[in-house]
Protein backbone atom coordinates (compact mmCIF):
# COMPACT_ATOMS: atom_id res chain seq x y z
CA UNK A 1 0.00 0.00 0.00
CA UNK A 2 1.36 3.43 -0.89
CA UNK A 3 1.87 5.83 2.00
CA UNK A 4 2.28 8.84 -0.32
CA UNK A 5 0.14 11.90 0.34
CA UNK A 6 2.14 14.81 -1.07
CA UNK A 7 3.36 15.45 -4.61
CA UNK A 8 6.00 18.13 -4.04
CA UNK A 9 6.79 21.31 -2.16
CA UNK A 10 4.42 23.87 -3.68
CA UNK A 11 5.82 26.94 -1.95
CA UNK A 12 7.61 28.35 1.05
CA UNK A 13 5.74 31.22 2.70
CA UNK A 14 7.49 34.24 4.20
CA UNK A 15 5.72 36.69 6.45
CA UNK A 16 6.77 40.20 5.40
CA UNK A 17 6.10 43.63 6.86
CA UNK A 18 6.24 45.53 3.55
CA UNK A 19 5.08 43.61 0.46
CA UNK A 20 6.43 46.04 -2.16
CA UNK A 21 9.85 46.16 -0.50
CA UNK A 22 9.90 42.35 -0.22
CA UNK A 23 8.96 41.97 -3.91
CA UNK A 24 11.73 44.40 -4.86
CA UNK A 25 14.30 42.42 -2.84
CA UNK A 26 13.18 39.07 -4.25
CA UNK A 27 13.12 40.27 -7.86
CA UNK A 28 15.93 42.85 -8.07
CA UNK A 29 18.42 41.21 -5.68
CA UNK A 30 17.52 37.50 -5.66
CA UNK A 31 16.37 37.43 -9.29
CA UNK A 32 12.96 35.77 -8.86
CA UNK A 33 10.09 36.87 -11.07
CA UNK A 34 6.74 38.06 -9.82
CA UNK A 35 4.19 35.51 -11.10
CA UNK A 36 1.02 36.47 -9.28
CA UNK A 37 -0.33 38.92 -6.72
CA UNK A 38 -3.67 38.97 -4.92
CA UNK A 39 -5.49 39.90 -1.73
CA UNK A 40 -7.16 37.15 0.29
CA UNK A 41 -9.49 38.79 2.81
CA UNK A 42 -10.49 35.53 4.46
CA UNK A 43 -6.82 34.79 5.25
CA UNK A 44 -6.08 38.44 6.09
CA UNK A 45 -3.21 38.71 3.62
CA UNK A 46 -1.95 40.51 0.59
CA UNK A 47 0.33 38.06 -1.13
CA UNK A 48 2.73 37.59 -4.02
CA UNK A 49 3.96 34.38 -5.66
CA UNK A 50 7.42 34.32 -7.23
CA UNK A 51 9.19 31.84 -9.46
CA UNK A 52 11.30 31.68 -12.59
CA UNK A 53 10.56 32.82 -16.12
CA UNK A 54 10.24 29.21 -17.29
CA UNK A 55 8.48 28.07 -14.11
CA UNK A 56 7.59 24.37 -14.38
CA UNK A 57 4.62 23.02 -12.44
CA UNK A 58 6.92 20.87 -10.26
CA UNK A 59 9.11 23.84 -9.25
CA UNK A 60 8.40 25.25 -5.82
CA UNK A 61 7.49 28.93 -5.56
CA UNK A 62 8.21 31.62 -3.04
CA UNK A 63 5.19 33.22 -1.36
CA UNK A 64 5.35 36.63 0.30
CA UNK A 65 2.60 37.24 2.86
CA UNK A 66 1.86 40.72 4.20
CA UNK A 67 -0.78 41.21 6.90
CA UNK A 68 -3.97 43.15 6.15
CA UNK A 69 -4.23 44.01 9.85
CA UNK A 70 -2.21 43.57 13.07
CA UNK A 71 -4.80 41.06 14.35
CA UNK A 72 -4.61 38.83 11.26
CA UNK A 73 -2.72 35.54 11.38
CA UNK A 74 0.34 37.06 9.72
CA UNK A 75 0.07 40.25 11.79
CA UNK A 76 0.12 38.16 14.98
CA UNK A 77 2.97 36.02 13.70
CA UNK A 78 5.11 39.09 12.94
CA UNK A 79 4.32 40.59 16.37
CA UNK A 80 5.36 37.31 18.03
CA UNK A 81 8.56 37.38 15.96
CA UNK A 82 9.71 40.71 17.37
CA UNK A 83 8.11 42.76 14.59
CA UNK A 84 10.19 41.05 11.91
CA UNK A 85 9.29 38.82 8.97
CA UNK A 86 10.52 35.27 8.48
CA UNK A 87 9.52 31.80 7.30
CA UNK A 88 5.92 31.30 8.40
CA UNK A 89 4.97 28.10 6.55
CA UNK A 90 5.90 25.40 4.07
CA UNK A 91 3.23 24.21 1.65
CA UNK A 92 2.94 20.71 0.18
CA UNK A 93 0.93 20.04 -2.98
CA UNK A 94 -1.65 17.28 -3.34
CA UNK A 95 -3.84 16.05 -6.19
CA UNK A 96 -6.94 15.54 -4.04
CA UNK A 97 -7.28 17.61 -0.88
CA UNK A 98 -10.21 15.60 0.47
CA UNK A 99 -8.25 12.34 0.19
CA UNK A 100 -5.13 13.96 1.65
CA UNK A 101 -7.11 15.46 4.55
CA UNK A 102 -8.73 12.11 5.32
CA UNK A 103 -5.36 10.34 5.26
CA UNK A 104 -3.75 12.95 7.53
CA UNK A 105 -6.63 12.82 10.02
CA UNK A 106 -6.48 9.05 9.98
CA UNK A 107 -2.77 9.31 10.85
CA UNK A 108 -3.64 11.43 13.87
CA UNK A 109 -2.75 15.03 12.96
CA UNK A 110 -5.08 17.95 13.61
CA UNK A 111 -6.18 19.97 10.60
CA UNK A 112 -7.19 23.58 11.20
CA UNK A 113 -10.36 23.63 9.07
CA UNK A 114 -13.34 21.27 8.89
CA UNK A 115 -13.29 21.73 5.12
CA UNK A 116 -10.73 23.27 2.73
CA UNK A 117 -10.70 27.05 2.20
CA UNK A 118 -9.76 29.10 -0.85
CA UNK A 119 -6.08 29.99 -1.33
CA UNK A 120 -3.82 31.47 -4.00
CA UNK A 121 -5.23 31.51 -7.52
CA UNK A 122 -8.46 29.72 -6.58
CA UNK A 123 -6.62 26.77 -5.03
CA UNK A 124 -8.09 24.82 -2.11
CA UNK A 125 -6.06 24.85 1.08
CA UNK A 126 -5.86 23.21 4.48
CA UNK A 127 -3.28 23.46 7.29
CA UNK A 128 -1.75 20.97 9.72
CA UNK A 129 -1.51 22.46 13.21
CA UNK A 130 2.14 23.33 13.94
CA UNK A 131 1.90 21.60 17.32
CA UNK A 132 1.29 18.32 15.46
CA UNK A 133 4.08 18.91 12.94
CA UNK A 134 7.23 19.55 14.94
CA UNK A 135 6.55 23.27 15.33
CA UNK A 136 6.20 23.93 11.58
CA UNK A 137 3.00 25.26 10.03
CA UNK A 138 2.32 22.97 7.05
CA UNK A 139 -0.14 24.12 4.41
CA UNK A 140 -1.65 21.55 2.04
CA UNK A 141 -2.78 22.80 -1.38
CA UNK A 142 -4.74 21.39 -4.28
CA UNK A 143 -4.07 23.88 -7.09
CA UNK A 144 -6.96 25.13 -9.19
CA UNK A 145 -7.30 23.42 -12.57
CA UNK A 146 -4.85 24.95 -15.06
CA UNK A 147 -2.88 26.83 -12.41
C1 LIG B 1 1.70 30.08 15.47
N1 LIG B 1 2.53 29.14 15.95
C2 LIG B 1 3.32 28.71 14.98
C3 LIG B 1 2.93 29.43 13.83
N2 LIG B 1 1.91 30.27 14.16
N3 LIG B 1 4.29 27.78 14.95
C4 LIG B 1 4.91 27.58 13.77
N4 LIG B 1 4.59 28.25 12.63
C5 LIG B 1 3.63 29.18 12.63
N5 LIG B 1 3.33 29.83 11.50
C6 LIG B 1 2.62 28.68 17.35
C7 LIG B 1 2.95 29.82 18.29
O1 LIG B 1 4.35 29.98 18.38
C8 LIG B 1 2.34 29.35 19.58
O2 LIG B 1 3.20 28.44 20.21
C9 LIG B 1 1.09 28.62 19.13
O3 LIG B 1 1.33 28.24 17.75
C10 LIG B 1 -0.15 29.48 19.19
O4 LIG B 1 0.17 30.69 18.52
P1 LIG B 1 -0.77 31.98 18.50
O5 LIG B 1 0.05 33.14 18.14
O6 LIG B 1 -1.61 32.03 19.74
O7 LIG B 1 -1.64 31.72 17.25
P2 LIG B 1 -3.04 31.07 17.06
O8 LIG B 1 -3.19 29.84 17.89
O9 LIG B 1 -4.08 32.14 17.17
O10 LIG B 1 -2.88 30.67 15.52
C11 LIG B 1 -1.96 29.74 15.10
C12 LIG B 1 -2.53 29.09 13.86
C13 LIG B 1 -2.81 30.23 12.86
C14 LIG B 1 -1.51 28.11 13.31
C15 LIG B 1 -3.83 28.35 14.22
O11 LIG B 1 -1.61 30.87 12.54
C16 LIG B 1 -3.51 29.80 11.62
O12 LIG B 1 -4.73 29.64 11.59
N6 LIG B 1 -2.74 29.56 10.53
C17 LIG B 1 -3.31 29.08 9.25
C18 LIG B 1 -3.73 30.19 8.34
C19 LIG B 1 -2.57 31.06 7.89
O13 LIG B 1 -1.41 30.90 8.28
N7 LIG B 1 -2.93 32.05 7.01
C20 LIG B 1 -1.96 33.00 6.44
C21 LIG B 1 -1.40 32.48 5.21
P3 LIG B 1 3.42 28.44 21.80
O14 LIG B 1 4.42 27.34 22.04
O15 LIG B 1 3.90 29.80 22.13
O16 LIG B 1 2.05 28.11 22.36
S1 LIG B 1 -2.61 32.45 3.92
C22 LIG B 1 -2.00 31.42 2.74
O17 LIG B 1 -0.95 30.86 2.91
C23 LIG B 1 -2.87 31.29 1.49
C24 LIG B 1 -3.26 32.63 0.94
C25 LIG B 1 -2.26 30.44 0.39
O18 LIG B 1 -1.11 29.98 0.47
O19 LIG B 1 -2.97 30.22 -0.60
Amino acid sequence: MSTDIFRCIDHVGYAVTDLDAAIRFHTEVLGWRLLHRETNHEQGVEEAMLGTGDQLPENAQVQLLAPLSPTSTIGKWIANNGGRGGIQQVCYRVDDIEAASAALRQRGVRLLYDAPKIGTGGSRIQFIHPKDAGGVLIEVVEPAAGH
Side-chain angles (χ1 to χ4, degrees):
M1 187 194 81
S2 168
T3 56
D4 292 353
I5 295 179
F6 304 120
R7 211 166 239 304
C8 61
I9 296 177
D10 187 90
H11 62 264
V12 176
Y14 297 88
V16 302
T17 54
D18 180 333
L19 186 60
D20 290 322
I23 290 172
R24 277 198 303 279
F25 172 72
H26 280 79
T27 55
E28 294 171 16
V29 178
L30 299 184
W32 291 108
R33 293 199 197 188
L34 178 63
L35 302 177
H36 179 73
R37 185 172 174 158
E38 75 176 73
T39 299
N40 185 325
H41 289 282
E42 186 178 33
Q43 292 293 332
V45 295
E46 188 179 358
E47 54 147 313
M49 300 297 288
L50 298 105
T52 60
D54 56 356
Q55 184 78 21
L56 299 170
E58 61 269 31
N59 293 152
Q61 297 179 41
V62 172
Q63 182 182 48
L64 305 176
L65 296 157
L68 290 180
S69 79
T71 54
S72 65
T73 300
I74 298 296
K76 273 180 69 179
W77 190 92
I78 288 171
N80 289 338
N81 195 45
R84 294 177 302 275
I87 296 181
Q88 189 256 352
Q89 56 162 272
V90 60
C91 179
Y92 300 150
R93 191 185 307 160
V94 298
D95 292 328
D96 178 340
I97 200 159
E98 267 84 23
S101 299
L104 289 166
R105 285 195 176 99
Q106 204 257 328
R107 293 178 197 184
V109 296
R110 274 173 300 165
L111 303 183
L112 292 186
Y113 308 138
D114 291 340
K117 293 186 185 282
I118 298 300
T120 306
S123 60
R124 297 197 303 147
I125 61 172
Q126 179 58 273
F127 291 87
I128 299 175
H129 198 288
K131 296 290 180 195
D132 288 359
V136 177
L137 177 63
I138 296 176
E139 180 182 340
V140 180
V141 65
E142 178 188 317
H147 235 265

